[in-house]
Amino acid sequence: MDKVISVSFGEVALKGQNRYFFENKLVRNIKNIARGMGETKVYKEQSKIYIEAEEEYKEELIKRLRRIFGIVNISPSYRIEKDIDEIKKHSLKLLEEVRSKRGIKTFKVDVNRADKRFQPNSVELAKEVGAYILSNSEGFTVDVHNPEAYIYIDIRTNCYIYTEKIKAFGGLPVGTNGKGLLLLSGGIDSPVAGFMIAKRGVEISAVHYHSYPFTSERAEEKVKALAEILTNYCGKIKLFSVNLLNIQKEINEKCPEDEMTIISRRFMMKIAEKIAMKEEIDALITGESLGQVASQTIKGINVTNSSVKLPVLRPLIGMDKVEITEISKEIGTFETSILPFEDCCTVFLPKHPVTRPKLEDIEESEKALDNEKLVEDAIDKMEVYEIRP
């Protein structure tokens, strides 16, 4: 009998002929997070992944596995021979271990046979194991509808027995669905947007805009800290830090005051697109939520969209602040996001920003600006950081 960690995946199993590409990427992502945690072995066995790890690292390894996209459940398991007597004996032993920790009285045996050649079938094996437990212990009863504990038996190349399914985030393995550039502010929304798109298998880079010295260095450190939290889910992140101050000064001097926010936003998108094309990134990602602020009306988003040709992914567009905040707390970015450091959007903030902008009016105002030079100058002076978990 060996102790292993079993990993179940949901959507990945539905990928047909492409399934092995997703599975292999998931295995690589698991190996990456297991580095520095002693001797580990990761292997696939009939639509599941198993990890042999040193006992002292298992708790931390399971904690990290929960943050790997593509994983649905994680189970500390026993790997035993496919022998009915062995299965019965270890099922009882495992159930006694659960009772010693939680004082449970009812149980259910749940059998899954990936190896259909194994006999008896799943229903018969569950009955046999259940009967053995009842005959060789005291105080247990079977409850097939609402048991206090499950005995899960997976019949594959080997047999695996476990009682616990630790829920993970699901989704698709990062690196299987292209690349995205996240416009990362210091607020609550954009880190959540990055998390949600990474969960769909997208490899994330990020661009942050600041207005130093009008905004502080601590504000930028806060963004780096948010990026570092995201790396727990996405892996390393390349962070581009762009000073927007000169552009904001030009807009403030030469454009109508009420268009400051929307024109600044268009510059952010243009700069992001330039960086994305240079880095061979497929899409931009924003944390916009419809109606949340002045630039996030339908007309405002339409004007912002028209400044770029790359697809813009907005995973939060139909969510309200409460929903977004709940996710930020769950993924651990909330406490950092609410630190009271200013961001570039507070610089030259108009008293009454336009909320129903017309594209032709905005483009007319932008004629007063040397758009290309302002974008190129900002990119030339940007700093680049590699943020690692």
Side-chain angles (χ1 to χ4, degrees):
M1 178 188 72
D2 301 306
K3 287 184 178 180
V4 298
I5 298 170
S6 70
V7 167
S8 303
F9 35 83
E11 278 187 84
V12 171
L14 305 176
K15 291 300 179 184
Q17 293 183 345
N18 294 323
R19 195 185 75 196
Y20 295 106
F21 165 71
F22 289 86
E23 287 181 355
N24 291 338
K25 185 61 183 174
L26 184 54
V27 167
R28 285 198 294 276
N29 291 348
I30 290 172
K31 287 180 177 177
N32 283 338
I33 61 103
R35 283 179 184 163
M37 304 188 72
E39 291 287 330
T40 56
K41 179 183 176 184
V42 183
Y43 64 96
K44 294 190 293 181
E45 191 175 305
Q46 294 179 292
S47 300
K48 273 201 169 186
I49 293 173
Y50 295 91
I51 306 162
E52 297 175 6
E54 295 177 22
E55 198 62 33
E56 64 179 296
Y57 295 109
K58 279 186 179 173
E59 186 176 342
E60 175 61 24
L61 185 55
I62 289 172
K63 185 178 172 185
R64 294 186 187 185
L65 286 170
R66 284 197 68 241
R67 301 190 293 241
I68 297 282
F69 294 134
I71 296 174
V72 174
N73 290 310
I74 304 154
S75 300
S77 307
Y78 286 125
R79 181 180 58 200
I80 62 173
E81 294 179 22
K82 286 195 294 189
D83 177 89
I84 294 177
D85 289 337
E86 288 291 303
I87 293 171
K88 292 175 180 174
K89 183 176 71 176
H90 286 97
S91 294
L92 175 56
K93 180 182 177 185
L94 200 51
L95 195 61
E96 290 287 10
E97 287 180 7
V98 176
R99 177 157 66 177
S100 69
K101 294 175 183 173
R102 294 198 277 128
I104 56 100
K105 295 180 179 177
T106 61
F107 72 97
K108 178 182 178 181
V109 180
D110 189 325
V111 177
N112 176 35
R113 287 181 311 136
D115 179 3
K116 300 299 184 188
R117 297 170 302 178
F118 184 86
Q119 294 297 321
N121 66 31
S122 300
V123 174
E124 291 167 348
L125 180 58
K127 286 180 179 176
E128 277 196 45
V129 173
Y132 177 85
I133 291 172
L134 293 174
S135 299
N136 293 275
S137 63
E138 293 183 357
F140 284 128
T141 56
V142 173
D143 185 341
V144 296
H145 299 294
N146 189 28
E148 295 173 294
Y150 280 87
I151 295 289
Y152 297 103
I153 301 171
D154 280 359
I155 307 292
R156 299 176 187 274
T157 305
N158 295 284
C159 175
Y160 299 88
I161 304 179
Y162 51 95
T163 59
E164 193 175 7
K165 289 184 177 180
I166 301 167
K167 193 176 178 184
F169 287 104
L172 296 171
V174 170
T176 59
N177 213 1
K179 299 178 180 178
L181 182 63
L182 171 66
L183 277 68
L184 182 61
S185 72
I188 293 171
D189 301 345
S190 57
V192 173
F195 168 86
M196 293 184 69
I197 292 299
K199 186 179 172 183
R200 300 311 304 157
V202 177
E203 185 179 328
I204 300 292
S205 296
V207 56
H208 167 63
Y209 298 98
H210 63 85
S211 305
Y212 185 80
F214 284 28
T215 55
S216 68
E217 292 181 346
R218 294 180 71 185
E220 186 173 63
E221 291 304 316
K222 171 184 168 183
V223 171
K224 289 180 185 175
L226 288 169
E228 187 174 343
I229 296 170
L230 285 179
T231 63
N232 290 320
Y233 306 94
C234 315
K236 68 180 179 183
I237 290 177
K238 197 170 183 179
L239 175 63
F240 303 90
S241 179
V242 179
N243 193 330
L244 204 66
L245 184 56
N246 286 339
I247 293 174
Q248 291 174 304
K249 285 180 177 177
E250 285 284 302
I251 300 170
N252 185 56
E253 181 182 337
K254 298 176 179 175
C255 298
E257 183 203 7
D258 63 348
E259 295 176 357
M260 179 76 198
T261 300
I262 197 74
I263 294 176
S264 296
R265 189 72 185 166
R266 280 167 60 86
F267 268 97
M268 292 181 193
M269 300 295 281
K270 291 173 189 173
I271 292 169
E273 185 178 61
K274 282 267 186 184
I275 295 170
M277 293 179 76
K278 185 179 178 183
E279 297 287 323
E280 298 183 343
I281 293 172
D282 310 299
L284 307 181
I285 306 162
T286 75
E288 289 163 306
S289 167
L290 195 59
Q292 192 175 117
V293 296
S295 64
Q296 295 176 17
T297 62
I298 287 181
K299 289 187 179 299
I301 288 173
N302 181 41
V303 171
T304 303
N305 252 10
S306 67
S307 64
V308 293
K309 294 178 180 175
L310 279 180
V312 182
L313 308 179
R314 296 181 170 91
L316 313 186
I317 197 68
M319 299 174 69
D320 63 31
K321 200 68 178 181
V322 173
E323 294 170 309
I324 298 168
T325 299
E326 285 176 357
I327 297 174
S328 73
K329 289 178 178 177
E330 185 179 8
I331 66 176
T333 55
F334 179 75
E335 293 300 329
T336 303
S337 290
I338 62 173
L339 292 174
F341 302 124
E342 71 289 349
D343 64 34
C344 68
C345 295
T346 62
V347 177
F348 302 120
L349 189 66
K351 290 181 180 176
H352 303 290
V354 60
T355 57
R356 299 168 63 86
K358 293 181 179 178
L359 180 58
E360 57 270 27
D361 293 342
I362 299 300
E363 288 180 336
E364 183 63 28
S365 298
E366 287 177 342
K367 289 179 181 177
L369 307 170
D370 190 342
N371 287 265
E372 281 196 23
K373 186 174 187 310
L374 287 169
V375 169
E376 290 297 335
D377 285 351
I379 291 176
D380 286 345
K381 295 173 184 173
M382 75 180 176
E383 296 180 274
V384 184
Y385 306 97
E386 188 165 289
I387 311 294
R388 290 182 174 273

